[in-house]
Short mmCIF file of all heavy atoms in Angstrom, two decimals:
data_model
loop_
_atom_site.label_atom_id
_atom_site.label_comp_id
_atom_site.label_asym_id
_atom_site.label_seq_id
_atom_site.Cartn_x
_atom_site.Cartn_y
_atom_site.Cartn_z
N LEU A 1 -6.36 -0.37 3.55
CA LEU A 1 -7.71 -0.78 3.39
C LEU A 1 -7.82 -2.20 3.86
O LEU A 1 -6.90 -2.97 3.96
CB LEU A 1 -8.27 -0.61 1.89
CG LEU A 1 -8.31 0.88 1.43
CD1 LEU A 1 -8.59 0.84 -0.06
CD2 LEU A 1 -9.39 1.69 2.13
N PRO A 2 -9.11 -2.62 4.16
CA PRO A 2 -9.32 -3.99 4.66
C PRO A 2 -8.88 -5.00 3.66
O PRO A 2 -8.64 -4.75 2.43
CB PRO A 2 -10.84 -4.16 4.81
CG PRO A 2 -11.31 -2.65 4.98
CD PRO A 2 -10.29 -1.86 4.20
N GLU A 3 -8.42 -6.24 4.20
CA GLU A 3 -7.81 -7.25 3.44
C GLU A 3 -8.93 -8.02 2.60
O GLU A 3 -9.96 -8.25 2.93
CB GLU A 3 -7.24 -8.20 4.35
CG GLU A 3 -6.43 -9.40 3.48
CD GLU A 3 -5.77 -10.31 4.43
OE1 GLU A 3 -5.02 -9.93 5.35
OE2 GLU A 3 -5.93 -11.55 4.20
N ASN A 4 -8.62 -8.06 1.24
CA ASN A 4 -9.32 -8.88 0.42
C ASN A 4 -8.36 -9.44 -0.72
O ASN A 4 -7.23 -9.15 -0.52
CB ASN A 4 -10.50 -8.12 -0.28
CG ASN A 4 -10.21 -6.95 -1.13
OD1 ASN A 4 -9.10 -6.95 -1.69
ND2 ASN A 4 -10.93 -5.95 -1.06
N GLU A 5 -8.83 -10.14 -1.69
CA GLU A 5 -7.82 -10.63 -2.53
C GLU A 5 -7.11 -9.70 -3.39
O GLU A 5 -5.89 -9.81 -3.67
CB GLU A 5 -8.55 -11.68 -3.56
CG GLU A 5 -9.64 -11.04 -4.41
CD GLU A 5 -10.43 -12.22 -5.07
OE1 GLU A 5 -10.23 -13.32 -4.77
OE2 GLU A 5 -11.04 -11.87 -6.12
N VAL A 6 -7.66 -8.51 -3.77
CA VAL A 6 -6.95 -7.50 -4.48
C VAL A 6 -6.01 -6.79 -3.53
O VAL A 6 -4.79 -6.58 -3.90
CB VAL A 6 -7.98 -6.42 -5.04
CG1 VAL A 6 -7.30 -5.36 -5.77
CG2 VAL A 6 -8.99 -7.07 -5.96
N SER A 7 -6.42 -6.34 -2.37
CA SER A 7 -5.57 -5.55 -1.50
C SER A 7 -4.48 -6.37 -0.96
O SER A 7 -3.30 -5.84 -0.71
CB SER A 7 -6.38 -4.90 -0.33
OG SER A 7 -6.86 -5.95 0.46
N LEU A 8 -4.68 -7.72 -0.75
CA LEU A 8 -3.54 -8.48 -0.22
C LEU A 8 -2.51 -8.74 -1.33
O LEU A 8 -1.24 -8.52 -0.92
CB LEU A 8 -4.05 -9.74 0.25
CG LEU A 8 -3.10 -10.81 0.91
CD1 LEU A 8 -2.34 -10.09 2.09
CD2 LEU A 8 -3.69 -12.08 1.26
N MET A 9 -2.95 -9.16 -2.52
CA MET A 9 -1.96 -9.31 -3.53
C MET A 9 -1.25 -8.09 -4.01
O MET A 9 -0.08 -8.07 -4.55
CB MET A 9 -2.53 -10.15 -4.68
CG MET A 9 -1.54 -10.74 -5.75
SD MET A 9 -0.14 -11.66 -4.99
CE MET A 9 -1.09 -13.16 -4.68
N SER A 10 -1.92 -6.93 -3.88
CA SER A 10 -1.35 -5.74 -4.17
C SER A 10 -0.24 -5.32 -3.32
O SER A 10 0.59 -4.38 -3.68
CB SER A 10 -2.39 -4.54 -4.24
OG SER A 10 -3.33 -4.82 -5.27
N TYR A 11 -0.15 -5.95 -2.12
CA TYR A 11 0.90 -5.80 -1.17
C TYR A 11 1.97 -6.93 -1.28
O TYR A 11 3.11 -6.65 -1.33
CB TYR A 11 0.29 -5.93 0.31
CG TYR A 11 1.38 -6.07 1.30
CD1 TYR A 11 2.10 -4.99 1.88
CD2 TYR A 11 1.50 -7.36 1.87
CE1 TYR A 11 3.08 -5.29 2.76
CE2 TYR A 11 2.47 -7.61 2.92
CZ TYR A 11 3.25 -6.53 3.41
OH TYR A 11 4.17 -6.70 4.33
N GLU A 12 1.52 -8.09 -1.47
CA GLU A 12 2.43 -9.23 -1.53
C GLU A 12 3.22 -9.26 -2.85
O GLU A 12 4.52 -9.54 -2.72
CB GLU A 12 1.69 -10.61 -1.49
CG GLU A 12 0.99 -10.85 -0.14
CD GLU A 12 1.89 -11.21 0.92
OE1 GLU A 12 3.24 -11.41 0.57
OE2 GLU A 12 1.56 -11.28 2.04
N ALA A 13 2.78 -8.86 -3.95
CA ALA A 13 3.56 -8.85 -5.21
C ALA A 13 4.66 -7.85 -5.15
O ALA A 13 5.82 -8.21 -5.51
CB ALA A 13 2.63 -8.63 -6.39
N PRO A 14 4.47 -6.61 -4.69
CA PRO A 14 5.55 -5.61 -4.53
C PRO A 14 6.58 -6.09 -3.50
O PRO A 14 7.81 -5.95 -3.73
CB PRO A 14 4.87 -4.32 -4.13
CG PRO A 14 3.55 -4.49 -4.56
CD PRO A 14 3.20 -5.91 -4.52
N ARG A 15 6.13 -6.63 -2.41
CA ARG A 15 7.00 -7.15 -1.27
C ARG A 15 7.96 -8.23 -1.95
O ARG A 15 9.11 -8.20 -1.71
CB ARG A 15 6.12 -7.75 -0.15
CG ARG A 15 7.04 -8.22 0.91
CD ARG A 15 6.23 -9.16 1.91
NE ARG A 15 5.63 -10.30 1.20
CZ ARG A 15 6.43 -11.31 0.87
NH1 ARG A 15 7.74 -11.43 1.01
NH2 ARG A 15 5.82 -12.36 0.21
N MET A 16 7.36 -9.06 -2.75
CA MET A 16 8.25 -10.13 -3.44
C MET A 16 9.27 -9.55 -4.25
O MET A 16 10.41 -9.87 -4.12
CB MET A 16 7.19 -11.08 -4.19
CG MET A 16 8.09 -12.26 -4.86
SD MET A 16 8.66 -11.73 -6.50
CE MET A 16 7.17 -11.60 -7.48
N VAL A 17 8.86 -8.60 -5.13
CA VAL A 17 9.94 -7.94 -5.95
C VAL A 17 10.91 -7.25 -5.18
O VAL A 17 12.06 -7.33 -5.55
CB VAL A 17 9.12 -7.06 -7.01
CG1 VAL A 17 10.18 -6.24 -7.86
CG2 VAL A 17 8.18 -7.81 -7.87
N ASN A 18 10.50 -6.50 -4.22
CA ASN A 18 11.42 -5.82 -3.37
C ASN A 18 12.48 -6.70 -2.74
O ASN A 18 13.69 -6.43 -2.68
CB ASN A 18 10.65 -5.07 -2.26
CG ASN A 18 11.47 -3.93 -1.57
OD1 ASN A 18 12.03 -3.17 -2.26
ND2 ASN A 18 11.30 -3.95 -0.36
N SER A 19 11.93 -7.83 -2.32
CA SER A 19 12.92 -8.85 -1.61
C SER A 19 13.82 -9.50 -2.58
O SER A 19 14.91 -9.98 -2.12
CB SER A 19 12.05 -9.89 -0.96
OG SER A 19 11.29 -10.75 -1.79
N LYS A 20 13.48 -9.51 -3.87
CA LYS A 20 14.42 -10.07 -4.87
C LYS A 20 15.25 -9.06 -5.53
O LYS A 20 15.89 -9.39 -6.57
CB LYS A 20 13.54 -10.88 -5.86
CG LYS A 20 12.80 -12.07 -5.35
CD LYS A 20 12.12 -12.86 -6.37
CE LYS A 20 11.43 -14.18 -5.75
NZ LYS A 20 12.32 -15.13 -5.25
N GLY A 21 15.32 -7.91 -4.99
CA GLY A 21 16.30 -6.85 -5.51
C GLY A 21 15.70 -6.02 -6.62
O GLY A 21 16.43 -5.17 -7.27
N GLY A 22 14.38 -6.04 -6.85
CA GLY A 22 13.81 -5.17 -7.80
C GLY A 22 13.48 -3.79 -7.26
O GLY A 22 13.46 -3.65 -6.04
N GLN A 23 13.31 -2.84 -8.14
CA GLN A 23 12.84 -1.50 -7.69
C GLN A 23 11.37 -1.39 -7.92
O GLN A 23 10.91 -1.81 -8.97
CB GLN A 23 13.54 -0.46 -8.49
CG GLN A 23 15.09 -0.53 -8.35
CD GLN A 23 15.82 0.59 -9.24
OE1 GLN A 23 15.28 1.71 -9.31
NE2 GLN A 23 16.85 0.15 -9.88
N ILE A 24 10.66 -0.89 -6.96
CA ILE A 24 9.13 -0.73 -7.04
C ILE A 24 8.71 0.65 -6.73
O ILE A 24 9.32 1.35 -5.98
CB ILE A 24 8.49 -1.67 -6.22
CG1 ILE A 24 8.78 -1.46 -4.64
CG2 ILE A 24 8.86 -3.18 -6.51
CD1 ILE A 24 7.98 -2.31 -3.75
N ARG A 25 7.52 0.96 -7.29
CA ARG A 25 6.68 2.11 -7.00
C ARG A 25 5.25 1.47 -6.80
O ARG A 25 4.80 0.73 -7.70
CB ARG A 25 6.81 3.10 -7.97
CG ARG A 25 8.07 3.84 -8.10
CD ARG A 25 8.56 4.78 -6.91
NE ARG A 25 9.76 5.46 -7.18
CZ ARG A 25 11.01 4.88 -7.08
NH1 ARG A 25 11.09 3.84 -6.60
NH2 ARG A 25 12.05 5.82 -7.31
N ILE A 26 4.54 1.95 -5.85
CA ILE A 26 3.12 1.55 -5.60
C ILE A 26 2.21 2.83 -5.72
O ILE A 26 2.46 3.74 -5.01
CB ILE A 26 2.96 0.84 -4.36
CG1 ILE A 26 3.79 -0.38 -4.27
CG2 ILE A 26 1.38 0.32 -4.37
CD1 ILE A 26 3.75 -1.17 -2.92
N PHE A 27 1.14 2.84 -6.42
CA PHE A 27 0.22 3.81 -6.50
C PHE A 27 -1.16 3.37 -6.16
O PHE A 27 -1.61 2.31 -6.61
CB PHE A 27 0.17 4.51 -7.88
CG PHE A 27 1.33 5.54 -8.13
CD1 PHE A 27 2.56 5.00 -8.43
CD2 PHE A 27 1.08 6.88 -8.11
CE1 PHE A 27 3.56 5.96 -8.64
CE2 PHE A 27 2.10 7.71 -8.30
CZ PHE A 27 3.29 7.28 -8.71
N MET A 28 -1.93 4.17 -5.38
CA MET A 28 -3.35 3.79 -5.16
C MET A 28 -4.13 5.03 -4.78
O MET A 28 -3.49 6.14 -4.64
CB MET A 28 -3.49 2.90 -3.93
CG MET A 28 -3.16 3.52 -2.66
SD MET A 28 -3.56 2.40 -1.04
CE MET A 28 -5.41 2.35 -1.13
N PRO A 29 -5.40 5.11 -4.90
CA PRO A 29 -6.21 6.30 -4.70
C PRO A 29 -6.09 6.67 -3.14
O PRO A 29 -6.06 5.68 -2.28
CB PRO A 29 -7.56 6.03 -5.04
CG PRO A 29 -7.46 4.81 -6.03
CD PRO A 29 -6.34 4.06 -5.56
N ARG A 30 -6.21 7.90 -2.80
CA ARG A 30 -6.27 8.31 -1.31
C ARG A 30 -7.71 8.52 -0.94
O ARG A 30 -8.21 9.65 -0.93
CB ARG A 30 -5.50 9.61 -1.06
CG ARG A 30 -4.96 9.74 0.34
CD ARG A 30 -6.00 10.02 1.35
NE ARG A 30 -6.71 11.23 1.05
CZ ARG A 30 -7.76 11.64 1.80
NH1 ARG A 30 -8.29 10.91 2.75
NH2 ARG A 30 -8.39 12.81 1.45
N TYR A 31 -8.34 7.31 -0.69
CA TYR A 31 -9.78 7.38 -0.31
C TYR A 31 -9.89 8.11 1.07
O TYR A 31 -8.97 7.98 1.95
CB TYR A 31 -10.43 5.97 -0.23
CG TYR A 31 -10.29 5.11 -1.44
CD1 TYR A 31 -9.21 4.15 -1.59
CD2 TYR A 31 -10.95 5.40 -2.54
CE1 TYR A 31 -9.18 3.35 -2.59
CE2 TYR A 31 -10.83 4.64 -3.61
CZ TYR A 31 -9.96 3.64 -3.76
OH TYR A 31 -9.77 2.87 -4.79
N GLY A 32 -11.13 8.64 1.28
CA GLY A 32 -11.27 9.42 2.55
C GLY A 32 -11.32 8.54 3.76
O GLY A 32 -11.26 9.10 4.96
N ASN A 33 -11.52 7.17 3.65
CA ASN A 33 -11.58 6.34 4.85
C ASN A 33 -10.22 5.84 5.19
O ASN A 33 -10.14 4.81 5.96
CB ASN A 33 -12.55 5.21 4.66
CG ASN A 33 -12.32 4.39 3.30
OD1 ASN A 33 -11.56 4.75 2.43
ND2 ASN A 33 -12.95 3.30 3.20
N ILE A 34 -9.23 6.35 4.59
CA ILE A 34 -7.84 5.97 4.89
C ILE A 34 -7.34 6.92 6.04
O ILE A 34 -7.47 8.19 5.77
CB ILE A 34 -6.84 6.00 3.70
CG1 ILE A 34 -7.20 4.96 2.71
CG2 ILE A 34 -5.23 5.89 4.23
CD1 ILE A 34 -6.39 5.02 1.39
N ASN A 35 -6.98 6.44 7.15
CA ASN A 35 -6.61 7.24 8.33
C ASN A 35 -5.12 7.80 8.02
O ASN A 35 -4.15 7.14 8.15
CB ASN A 35 -6.60 6.43 9.51
CG ASN A 35 -6.46 7.24 10.75
OD1 ASN A 35 -5.62 8.20 10.86
ND2 ASN A 35 -7.36 7.03 11.77
N GLU A 36 -5.23 9.04 7.73
CA GLU A 36 -3.79 9.72 7.26
C GLU A 36 -2.88 9.81 8.48
O GLU A 36 -1.70 9.69 8.39
CB GLU A 36 -4.02 11.14 6.62
CG GLU A 36 -4.79 11.12 5.40
CD GLU A 36 -4.57 12.34 4.57
OE1 GLU A 36 -3.70 13.11 5.00
OE2 GLU A 36 -5.31 12.63 3.57
N ARG A 37 -3.43 10.14 9.68
CA ARG A 37 -2.58 10.23 10.92
C ARG A 37 -1.93 8.88 11.26
O ARG A 37 -0.80 8.80 11.51
CB ARG A 37 -3.40 10.88 12.01
CG ARG A 37 -2.60 11.01 13.28
CD ARG A 37 -3.34 11.66 14.38
NE ARG A 37 -3.76 13.09 13.95
CZ ARG A 37 -4.37 13.88 14.69
NH1 ARG A 37 -4.88 13.49 16.00
NH2 ARG A 37 -4.69 15.17 14.44
N ARG A 38 -2.86 7.91 11.35
CA ARG A 38 -2.32 6.57 11.72
C ARG A 38 -1.26 6.08 10.75
O ARG A 38 -0.29 5.40 11.20
CB ARG A 38 -3.48 5.47 11.72
CG ARG A 38 -3.10 4.18 12.21
CD ARG A 38 -4.09 3.22 11.97
NE ARG A 38 -5.45 3.52 12.66
CZ ARG A 38 -6.62 3.24 12.18
NH1 ARG A 38 -6.75 2.46 11.12
NH2 ARG A 38 -7.75 3.62 12.76
N HIS A 39 -1.42 6.24 9.48
CA HIS A 39 -0.57 5.72 8.44
C HIS A 39 0.51 6.71 8.07
O HIS A 39 1.33 6.46 7.13
CB HIS A 39 -1.33 5.21 7.17
CG HIS A 39 -2.28 4.09 7.54
ND1 HIS A 39 -1.79 2.86 7.93
CD2 HIS A 39 -3.59 4.00 7.53
CE1 HIS A 39 -2.75 1.96 8.12
NE2 HIS A 39 -3.93 2.66 7.78
N GLN A 40 0.38 7.94 8.68
CA GLN A 40 1.50 8.91 8.40
C GLN A 40 1.58 9.40 6.95
O GLN A 40 2.81 9.43 6.49
CB GLN A 40 2.87 8.39 8.99
CG GLN A 40 2.87 8.21 10.48
CD GLN A 40 4.08 7.74 11.12
OE1 GLN A 40 5.05 7.53 10.37
NE2 GLN A 40 4.13 7.67 12.40
N LEU A 41 0.53 9.66 6.35
CA LEU A 41 0.47 10.22 5.01
C LEU A 41 1.00 11.72 5.06
O LEU A 41 0.55 12.35 5.95
CB LEU A 41 -0.87 10.15 4.39
CG LEU A 41 -1.17 8.80 3.58
CD1 LEU A 41 -1.35 7.68 4.52
CD2 LEU A 41 -2.42 9.02 2.79
N HIS A 42 1.72 12.01 4.05
CA HIS A 42 2.09 13.43 4.02
C HIS A 42 2.14 13.91 2.49
O HIS A 42 2.50 13.09 1.58
CB HIS A 42 3.39 13.77 4.72
CG HIS A 42 4.56 13.04 4.22
ND1 HIS A 42 4.95 11.79 4.59
CD2 HIS A 42 5.54 13.41 3.29
CE1 HIS A 42 6.02 11.39 3.94
NE2 HIS A 42 6.35 12.40 3.06
N GLU A 43 1.84 15.11 2.25
CA GLU A 43 1.84 15.58 0.82
C GLU A 43 3.30 15.85 0.40
O GLU A 43 4.07 16.31 1.08
CB GLU A 43 1.00 16.92 0.72
CG GLU A 43 0.86 17.40 -0.65
CD GLU A 43 0.01 18.58 -0.91
OE1 GLU A 43 -0.65 19.01 0.10
OE2 GLU A 43 -0.05 19.09 -1.94
#
């Protein structure tokens, strides 16, 4: 989704934990304006 303060930090915080050896899972809604083909979503 487009960058704003929520969407950006929701990416940066997991990236930080991942880089420091933590294990992460990220969940978000699959809104209809997310391009499934471009981002290679699969069920």
Side-chain angles (χ1 to χ4, degrees):
L1 291 173
E3 182 177 313
N4 58 36
E5 59 187 17
V6 178
S7 64
L8 181 60
M9 189 53 74
S10 298
Y11 164 80
E12 290 291 350
R15 182 197 58 75
M16 177 273 290
V17 173
N18 196 46
S19 70
K20 292 182 180 295
Q23 300 178 43
I24 62 168
R25 297 286 188 275
I26 307 175
F27 280 77
M28 70 172 291
R30 203 291 298 177
Y31 306 104
N33 55 346
I34 294 174
N35 190 313
E36 292 200 17
R37 179 175 295 179
R38 180 191 308 150
H39 295 295
Q40 299 182 354
L41 273 68
H42 61 275
E43 184 176 352

